[in-house]
Amino acid sequence: MDNTQPRMRWWGWGEDGNDGPIKPGAKKMLTKNCGWPDGVNNPPVELGAVQLPAAGLPDDARTRFEELLGAEFVRDDHATRVSHAAGRSLPDLLRLRSADLPFAPDVVLYPASHAEVDALLAICAQERIAVVPFGGGTSVVAGIDAFRPGFRSCVCISLARLDQILDIDEESLTATVQAGVFGPDLEEKLQASGFTLGHFPQSFEFSTVGGWVATRSAGQQSTGYGRIDDNVFGLRCSTPSGPVELRSTPATAAGPNPRQVFVGSEGTLGIITQATLRIKRLPETTLPDAWFFPDFHSGAAALREIEQSGLRPDIARLSDLNETAFGLAQLGSDIQRKGLLAFLRARGVTTPCMLVLRYDGRKADAKSRRAGGRAIARKHQGVTMGGAPETQWEKHRFSTPYLRDQLMTEGVIVETMETAAPWSRIESLHDTIKADIEKAMADRGTPALVLCHISHLYTAGCSLYYTVFAQQQVGQEMEQWKTLKTAAGNAMVDNGGTITHHHAAGADHAPWLPRETGELWLRMLRAAKAEVDPEGIMNPGKLMNGPSAL
Amino acid sequence: MDNTQPRMRWWGWGEDGNDGPIKPGAKKMLTKNCGWPDGVNNPPVELGAVQLPAAGLPDDARTRFEELLGAEFVRDDHATRVSHAAGRSLPDLLRLRSADLPFAPDVVLYPASHAEVDALLAICAQERIAVVPFGGGTSVVAGIDAFRPGFRSCVCISLARLDQILDIDEESLTATVQAGVFGPDLEEKLQASGFTLGHFPQSFEFSTVGGWVATRSAGQQSTGYGRIDDNVFGLRCSTPSGPVELRSTPATAAGPNPRQVFVGSEGTLGIITQATLRIKRLPETTLPDAWFFPDFHSGAAALREIEQSGLRPDIARLSDLNETAFGLAQLGSDIQRKGLLAFLRARGVTTPCMLVLRYDGRKADAKSRRAGGRAIARKHQGVTMGGAPETQWEKHRFSTPYLRDQLMTEGVIVETMETAAPWSRIESLHDTIKADIEKAMADRGTPALVLCHISHLYTAGCSLYYTVFAQQQVGQEMEQWKTLKTAAGNAMVDNGGTITHHHAAGADHAPWLPRETGELWLRMLRAAKAEVDPEGIMNPGKLMNGPSAL
Ligand SMILES: Cc1cc2nc3c(=O)[nH]c(=O)nc-3n(C[C@H](O)[C@H](O)[C@H](O)COP(=O)(O)OP(=O)(O)OC[C@H]3O[C@@H](n4cnc5c(N)ncnc54)[C@H](O)[C@@H]3O)c2cc1C
Ligand SMILES: Cc1cc2nc3c(=O)[nH]c(=O)nc-3n(C[C@H](O)[C@H](O)[C@H](O)COP(=O)(O)OP(=O)(O)OC[C@H]3O[C@@H](n4cnc5c(N)ncnc54)[C@H](O)[C@@H]3O)c2cc1C
């Protein structure tokens, strides 16, 4: 496969042919909560109509790039620039579809080796050219937007050709892979040898190992398989001041941990070219389970007890009332849904909150953990329907992002946000976030439908994930987004949550960093960055150097 | 309890009254391998005979300290200075016993609140006074030695009065504690409420939470309960530029992880005054198990399989041939030992390597994990004796350090060293380290006895821990130590290991940091440090600013 060809359609999520209709039940729910913008048909513009900023690459820099990589791998045709100009946040999608792209790289570079990446960064530092590292381009925090504050030129360095799985150490259960490997390619190779990384973010199909490491990503199975930060041992990172190579060590006490500084560095320190990751043997079995609770509170209490009892579910996801209702309306058939609701009503559950779980491992062990989990769910008034709802959820888990594109065509905007906090704060935090979003959006005259789920369990806490729908305010979408983002971000950070559990900081979350970690830590980070990137060319305007106000 | 009174005797390990004799079998083994220095009786000098460097605290600084803390908590009597002058590495002990202490703080300060620590650091920064943070003083890497390069004065800030357990969040399973809490005090309080941190370094009785966090410590149950770096959520650190407060978040993707920079910072960035730690419910049961393998190789293979099969032993420790023989000779009775060896010989095990394990948790679960572990041990030619050897090992686990003091009195030096590496490298790494130590020490004319064990398991690898004995070369002890340390450190770092799995860097391991992580990372660290400590007063001469050659 030629990885330099974009895998995603340029204007939205994933590949063509996956857009399903909005089902009547879901539409009804949206109408009730947000109103429905009747008769809107607002498809994306044509690729040719997209306006890009003028490219400003100096000729001598281009010559040096071409000498290094070959002209074929220095591309600035319209399609290439557009497909590397934006991630997949709501503002990104709004801009892409409206054809007004204020940020785009001048050129996209495709190095094929560590040495080529090193050399590119050295050239860019000499020429003072801003650099945006690019994995799959699925960022939802403006992480790959081609900001160029103070720079005349900005290049995108794609990791697409660093796509090799270099080594599987079956004895140490680690795999050494290049940064540009896409999720499906990695899992295919690992699984063929009987292993898995178990890292399945919802963006799995279109995101890369380097992107995961750079953003401190968490997959949907992180409860069992760990976040990417738990699973990175060795690491290689090219910086403008030269490469940093961290050997693969299971643990060390040799001072502050450099891995945990490069992990999550979002391209601001350098380009991760290679990582050594902890892998696991493919589980003997995976056992699905699903429950419906009478309310969010009892479901959350069950989840907490399951996790803290050491039953280690590998997947665990509890939807609130709204998300449960929306999911049933959008994903299943109407008959299924009505049957289920009647079944639950008969058992006293009138406002169901769905919990899906999966237990992976050796058969006997997974069974006994599931049995333990079931006893706890029952104790907390859960009603079970066996494993089918989990299987159903898994089947659709990579398809829901397509709905966002479809809704935007019909005049409804969708944004997602997430946080994490200790268990003792989770419920009050959730109440505040939901109420603050609803109030802020209602105050704008575009009331929101807010869905939420708990996922990614830890003994000390969990994450909360929000999906928010509202009618699009044509011409004021960006203000609308800022209203939403500000309300949610403030509610999170002012009430003991983090501004992001797995979406990273990028530019969009940067305004909350001082409040979350304090200004002193950001100064430390900036100082550390200045050592590896004295010219400040690496992904300017993001993370520690992001906008100080949204 | 008045924590400002030293818990340890000033010249050696722990408290008086615990020094046992060297048993005949152990002495025989030492004699065979190292020769025995007959008739040596070299006890520590009297406290009064200890020579300290002149104190150089400016009067106005003392006045400011006394105004802040009260005169009672600004102490520079001889006993206080001596008991804060050295850790418990071999060089520390040699210096203490010989009464030639080249480094000692001018004064020891005892703040009782965050605010007092903040204020002390501000004064020290203004007056350009070097600061050594002091927890329990059990450092084995010269972490608390009062170096003062370029400073006329050096103070020790003891955390002894920050000794409160502030909060146990039973819902989130976290405890918020002040940095100066000692191990036993912490566990007593936690266990009274049904919880445990499960952090039991061999130095448990005399070390503090702040010391653990500052050194990235790992306890003997880290395989099950996690290293301290796995268990720190929130953190407060006073720095000369002001406090850093990291909220307690189970996980976050908000950029590089500040926790993992302050954890392991060894007093070079500031003083950790408080930490929020993950705790666990006390296990329903703890099941001991023990095996004897015909060689180190088969034991290591069994351990790896046990860990990688997800059987999660909470304690796991495999001694090599020498350590097994020494342990049997020193800890058990002669009859026990002979009986055991005959029993093993009858089963074909003539060079036994002992493995002790413990499985904690709910009864059924711990039992089934132990059964799984037993099947694997048997497959790898292990011979079992039930749980007794583990129970015996646990009984003695905090007493072995006393032996070192006793041996030094008799003219034998003892040093310990440790590393970690991926499983695929462990055996060859071990062979190299052992051979290099033996060769270097034999070349000096003081052949060594080298004991080793594997402990602290990870799916990707494990740690190797060495105890080395040799006859003391009177008058050349420091060169002897350098020979040993250099041989071991080089063997570790040149063959894929880390210079330290849990002892931290301090001054002694600093020379290997550039080789392990590269100079660029150290430059980043120094730059980050300069933001919080522009005068460079925090623990100078350690870690990123340590000596560039041993
Ligand atoms: C529909 C949807 C669902 C998502 N679900 C999840 C989820 O479940 N969990 C989750 O964690 N995230 C999720 N995300 C966010 C996103 O997919 C992750 O941040 C992902 O890790 C990005 O990977 P990527 O390869 O696409 O990186 P990109 O988007 O290309 O880049 C992300 C950031 O990392 C930098 N970067 C990329 N590669 C490198 C490199 N090799 N070296 C240095 N810097 C680099 C970029 O400069 C940018 O700042 C989702 C996004 C979308 C649109
Ligand atoms: C016999 C023996 C056995 C040992 N066994 C183990 C073991 O099993 N596992 C293990 O991990 N270690 C072990 N150690 C090493 C040592 O006990 C650990 O490093 C321990 O964490 C030190 O804690 P402490 O309170 O004694 O700290 P100290 O020795 O007082 O200080 C250690 C370092 O941390 C700094 N420091 C201390 N407190 C703070 C603070 N509050 N803020 C900032 N910096 C601070 C000091 O400046 C110094 O650099 C052992 C040591 C000995 C002598």
Side-chain angles (χ1 to χ4, degrees):
Chain A
M1 181 181 244
D2 175 3
N3 278 334
T4 66
Q5 292 313 311
R7 294 199 178 190
M8 279 198 286
R9 54 190 180 190
W10 65 268
W11 57 272
W13 184 247
E15 294 163 322
D16 282 340
N18 294 298
D19 305 278
I22 297 143
K23 297 256 186 82
K27 189 163 170 177
K28 212 164 122 191
M29 219 179 139
L30 284 167
T31 308
K32 195 176 143 212
N33 285 274
C34 316
W36 187 264
D38 262 324
V40 173
N41 182 19
N42 199 359
V45 296
E46 293 296 315
L47 177 58
V50 176
Q51 297 293 325
L52 292 176
L57 187 69
D59 284 345
D60 60 325
R62 170 186 297 269
T63 308
R64 293 178 74 182
F65 293 148
E66 290 187 349
E67 275 169 12
L68 183 70
L69 305 178
E72 187 194 349
F73 297 114
V74 180
R75 298 186 195 161
D76 61 359
D77 57 281
H78 187 72
T80 299
R81 287 184 70 206
V82 171
S83 60
H84 292 80
R88 292 298 179 266
S89 69
L90 177 59
D92 285 330
L93 294 178
L94 286 165
R95 283 196 285 253
L96 283 167
R97 295 169 68 110
S98 75
D100 178 17
L101 270 182
F103 315 111
D106 295 342
V107 68
V108 181
L109 306 170
Y110 298 90
S113 66
H114 298 321
E116 285 184 2
V117 177
D118 289 349
L120 284 179
L121 294 190
I123 297 172
C124 291
Q126 280 163 15
E127 309 264 351
R128 290 203 76 252
I129 294 172
V131 173
V132 177
F134 189 100
T138 66
S139 169
V140 283
V141 292
I144 54 162
D145 289 22
F147 300 154
R148 56 181 86 189
F151 297 93
R152 58 185 168 161
S153 183
C154 176
V155 301
C156 170
I157 298 187
S158 165
L159 278 296
R161 291 170 71 214
L162 281 159
D163 60 359
Q164 298 300 304
I165 288 153
L166 301 174
D167 178 52
I168 298 181
D169 178 345
E170 304 205 355
E171 209 175 330
S172 310
L173 293 182
T174 59
T176 300
V177 302
Q178 292 188 316
V181 177
F182 279 87
D185 301 345
L186 175 69
E187 280 296 326
E188 198 191 334
K189 275 266 175 65
L190 288 180
Q191 293 188 15
S193 307
F195 300 99
T196 178
L197 175 62
H199 189 79
F200 296 100
Q202 198 184 31
S203 55
F204 173 74
E205 300 165 285
F206 304 100
S207 58
T208 63
V209 169
W212 301 340
V213 174
T215 60
R216 210 171 261 282
S217 160
Q220 293 179 332
Q221 294 171 205
S222 81
T223 300
Y225 291 80
R227 306 166 54 86
I228 204 73
D229 27 328
D230 299 322
N231 289 322
V232 177
F233 292 115
L235 187 57
R236 188 191 179 286
C237 186
S238 297
T239 82
S241 302
V244 173
E245 297 193 44
L246 302 174
R247 60 183 64 191
S248 184
T249 306
T252 169
N257 194 332
R259 269 160 215 79
Q260 297 301 335
V261 171
F262 286 94
V263 172
S265 59
E266 302 183 29
T268 62
L269 301 178
I271 296 188
I272 295 157
T273 55
Q274 184 176 304
T276 299
L277 303 168
R278 178 166 66 160
I279 56 176
K280 293 102 201 163
R281 294 219 177 74
L282 274 174
E284 195 179 295
T285 190
T286 61
L287 299 181
D289 204 22
W291 294 80
F292 291 86
F293 290 91
D295 51 37
F296 199 54
H297 170 75
S298 50
L303 261 193
R304 177 167 75 84
E305 193 174 332
I306 289 171
E307 179 65 13
Q308 293 184 345
S309 303
L311 295 167
R312 292 170 296 110
D314 291 279
I315 294 177
R317 182 177 165 121
L318 172 72
S319 298
D320 75 350
L321 178 60
N322 279 349
E323 191 178 277
T324 303
F326 192 87
L328 291 177
Q330 179 60 27
L331 299 181
S333 77
D334 220 38
I335 295 176
Q336 275 180 332
R337 184 171 61 96
K338 287 194 173 140
L340 173 66
L341 293 177
F343 173 86
L344 292 173
R345 236 185 340 263
R347 279 149 193 85
V349 176
T350 52
T351 53
C353 291
M354 182 174 87
L355 169 65
V356 295
L357 296 151
R358 207 180 78 190
Y359 297 88
D360 297 5
R362 282 169 298 122
K363 265 190 203 125
D365 181 54
K367 264 198 182 156
S368 108
R369 282 153 53 217
R370 185 173 65 176
R374 285 181 166 170
I376 292 170
R378 224 171 271 121
K379 198 176 86 184
H380 290 276
Q381 267 78 56
V383 174
T384 187
M385 303 242 350
E390 197 282 332
T391 315
Q392 172 91 344
W393 169 80
E394 247 189 81
K395 198 177 126 198
H396 290 288
R397 67 170 160 165
F398 296 140
S399 67
T400 36
Y402 289 99
L403 195 64
R404 186 161 60 145
D405 291 340
Q406 180 64 32
L407 281 166
M408 286 179 80
T409 300
E410 302 192 31
V412 174
I413 55 167
V414 188
E415 183 58 313
T416 62
M417 281 153 309
E418 30 77 71
T419 185
W423 286 109
S424 56
R425 287 174 175 271
I426 275 297
E427 289 186 57
S428 68
L429 179 61
H430 170 55
D431 292 345
T432 308
I433 295 171
K434 187 163 183 284
D436 286 5
I437 292 175
E438 285 172 348
K439 174 157 190 326
M441 294 301 277
D443 285 353
R444 279 198 77 89
T446 54
L449 171 63
V450 180
L451 320 182
C452 175
H453 64 254
I454 285 181
S455 51
H456 309 282
L457 310 188
Y458 309 88
T459 60
C462 64
S463 84
L464 289 168
Y465 185 101
Y466 294 88
T467 309
V468 181
F469 304 85
Q471 279 194 58
Q472 181 169 353
Q473 270 183 309
V474 181
Q476 292 182 49
E477 296 87 353
M478 285 300 173
E479 286 70 36
Q480 210 183 358
W481 174 77
K482 279 184 196 169
T483 298
L484 169 58
K485 199 76 189 166
T486 306
N490 288 348
M492 289 169 184
V493 174
D494 293 344
N495 294 283
T498 170
I499 187 62
T500 174
H501 168 268
H502 60 258
H503 278 170
D508 293 352
H509 290 148
W512 284 276
L513 295 179
R515 253 192 281 170
E516 180 166 340
T517 59
E519 190 53 60
L520 212 42
W521 164 244
L522 297 175
R523 277 169 47 195
M524 292 170 76
L525 259 185
R526 284 181 210 121
K529 173 182 164 75
E531 283 299 314
V532 286
D533 179 22
E535 307 290 335
I537 61 170
M538 295 308 306
N539 220 359
K542 320 286 164 64
L543 194 59
M544 71 290 254
N545 292 319
S548 59
L550 194 64
Chain B
M1 182 179 245
D2 175 5
N3 278 332
T4 66
Q5 292 313 313
R7 295 200 176 190
M8 278 197 288
R9 54 188 179 191
W10 64 268
W11 59 271
W13 185 245
E15 294 161 321
D16 282 341
N18 295 296
D19 305 277
I22 297 142
K23 297 256 186 81
K27 189 163 170 177
K28 209 164 124 190
M29 220 178 138
L30 284 168
T31 309
K32 194 176 144 210
N33 286 273
C34 315
W36 186 264
D38 262 324
V40 173
N41 182 21
N42 200 358
V45 296
E46 294 296 316
L47 178 57
V50 176
Q51 296 293 325
L52 291 177
L57 187 68
D59 284 345
D60 61 323
R62 170 185 295 269
T63 308
R64 294 178 73 182
F65 293 148
E66 290 187 349
E67 276 168 13
L68 184 69
L69 306 177
E72 187 195 350
F73 297 115
V74 179
R75 299 186 194 160
D76 60 359
D77 58 280
H78 186 71
T80 300
R81 287 183 70 205
V82 171
S83 60
H84 292 80
R88 291 299 180 264
S89 69
L90 177 59
D92 286 329
L93 294 178
L94 287 166
R95 283 196 285 252
L96 282 167
R97 296 170 69 109
S98 75
D100 178 18
L101 271 183
F103 314 111
D106 295 342
V107 68
V108 181
L109 306 170
Y110 298 89
S113 67
H114 298 321
E116 285 184 2
V117 178
D118 290 349
L120 284 178
L121 294 189
I123 297 173
C124 292
Q126 279 163 15
E127 308 264 351
R128 290 203 76 250
I129 294 172
V131 174
V132 178
F134 188 99
T138 66
S139 169
V140 282
V141 292
I144 53 161
D145 289 21
F147 301 154
R148 56 181 85 189
F151 296 93
R152 59 185 167 161
S153 183
C154 176
V155 301
C156 171
I157 298 187
S158 165
L159 278 298
R161 292 171 71 214
L162 282 159
D163 59 358
Q164 298 302 305
I165 288 153
L166 302 173
D167 178 53
I168 299 181
D169 178 345
E170 303 204 355
E171 208 175 329
S172 309
L173 292 183
T174 58
T176 300
V177 302
Q178 291 189 315
V181 178
F182 280 87
D185 301 344
L186 176 69
E187 280 296 327
E188 197 191 334
K189 274 265 175 66
L190 289 179
Q191 292 188 15
S193 308
F195 300 99
T196 178
L197 175 62
H199 190 79
F200 296 101
Q202 199 184 31
S203 56
F204 172 74
E205 299 165 282
F206 304 99
S207 57
T208 62
V209 170
W212 302 341
V213 174
T215 60
R216 209 170 263 282
S217 158
Q220 292 179 334
Q221 295 170 204
S222 81
T223 300
Y225 291 79
R227 306 164 55 85
I228 203 73
D229 28 326
D230 299 323
N231 289 322
V232 178
F233 291 115
L235 187 58
R236 188 191 179 286
C237 186
S238 297
T239 81
S241 303
V244 173
E245 297 192 46
L246 302 174
R247 59 184 64 194
S248 183
T249 307
T252 168
N257 194 334
R259 269 160 216 77
Q260 298 300 336
V261 170
F262 286 94
V263 173
S265 58
E266 302 183 27
T268 62
L269 301 177
I271 295 189
I272 295 157
T273 55
Q274 182 176 306
T276 299
L277 303 168
R278 175 164 69 161
I279 56 177
K280 293 100 202 164
R281 294 220 177 75
L282 274 174
E284 195 179 296
T285 190
T286 60
L287 299 181
D289 205 21
W291 294 80
F292 291 85
F293 290 91
D295 51 39
F296 199 55
H297 170 77
S298 51
L303 261 194
R304 178 168 76 84
E305 193 173 333
I306 288 172
E307 180 65 12
Q308 293 184 344
S309 302
L311 295 167
R312 293 170 296 111
D314 291 278
I315 293 176
R317 181 176 166 122
L318 172 72
S319 298
D320 74 351
L321 178 58
N322 278 351
E323 191 178 275
T324 303
F326 192 87
L328 291 177
Q330 179 61 25
L331 299 182
S333 76
D334 220 38
I335 294 176
Q336 273 180 333
R337 184 172 62 96
K338 287 194 173 139
L340 174 68
L341 292 177
F343 174 86
L344 292 173
R345 235 186 340 265
R347 279 148 193 86
V349 176
T350 51
T351 52
C353 292
M354 183 174 85
L355 169 65
V356 296
L357 297 151
R358 206 180 78 189
Y359 298 88
D360 298 3
R362 283 168 297 123
K363 265 188 203 128
D365 182 53
K367 263 197 183 159
S368 108
R369 281 153 53 217
R370 185 174 64 176
R374 285 180 165 172
I376 291 171
R378 223 170 271 123
K379 199 176 87 182
H380 290 277
Q381 266 81 55
V383 173
T384 187
M385 303 245 347
E390 197 282 333
T391 315
Q392 172 90 346
W393 169 80
E394 248 189 81
K395 200 176 123 201
H396 291 287
R397 66 170 160 165
F398 297 139
S399 67
T400 35
Y402 289 99
L403 195 63
R404 189 162 55 146
D405 290 340
Q406 179 64 33
L407 281 166
M408 284 178 81
T409 299
E410 303 193 31
V412 174
I413 55 166
V414 188
E415 182 60 313
T416 62
M417 282 154 307
E418 30 77 73
T419 183
W423 287 109
S424 56
R425 285 174 176 271
I426 275 298
E427 288 186 57
S428 68
L429 179 62
H430 170 55
D431 293 344
T432 308
I433 295 170
K434 186 163 184 284
D436 287 5
I437 292 174
E438 285 171 349
K439 173 158 192 326
M441 293 301 278
D443 285 353
R444 278 198 78 88
T446 53
L449 170 63
V450 181
L451 319 183
C452 175
H453 64 255
I454 286 182
S455 52
H456 309 283
L457 310 188
Y458 309 88
T459 60
C462 63
S463 85
L464 289 169
Y465 185 101
Y466 293 88
T467 310
V468 181
F469 304 85
Q471 280 195 59
Q472 180 169 350
Q473 271 183 308
V474 181
Q476 292 183 50
E477 296 88 352
M478 285 299 173
E479 286 69 38
Q480 210 183 357
W481 174 75
K482 278 186 197 169
T483 298
L484 169 57
K485 198 77 188 163
T486 305
N490 288 348
M492 289 168 183
V493 174
D494 293 346
N495 294 284
T498 171
I499 187 62
T500 174
H501 168 267
H502 60 258
H503 278 170
D508 293 351
H509 290 148
W512 283 277
L513 295 179
R515 253 192 279 170
E516 180 167 340
T517 59
E519 192 50 61
L520 213 41
W521 164 244
L522 297 175
R523 278 170 45 197
M524 291 170 76
L525 260 185
R526 282 181 211 123
K529 173 181 165 75
E531 284 297 316
V532 287
D533 180 21
E535 308 290 335
I537 60 170
M538 295 308 307
N539 219 358
K542 320 284 164 65
L543 195 59
M544 71 290 251
N545 292 320
S548 59
L550 194 65

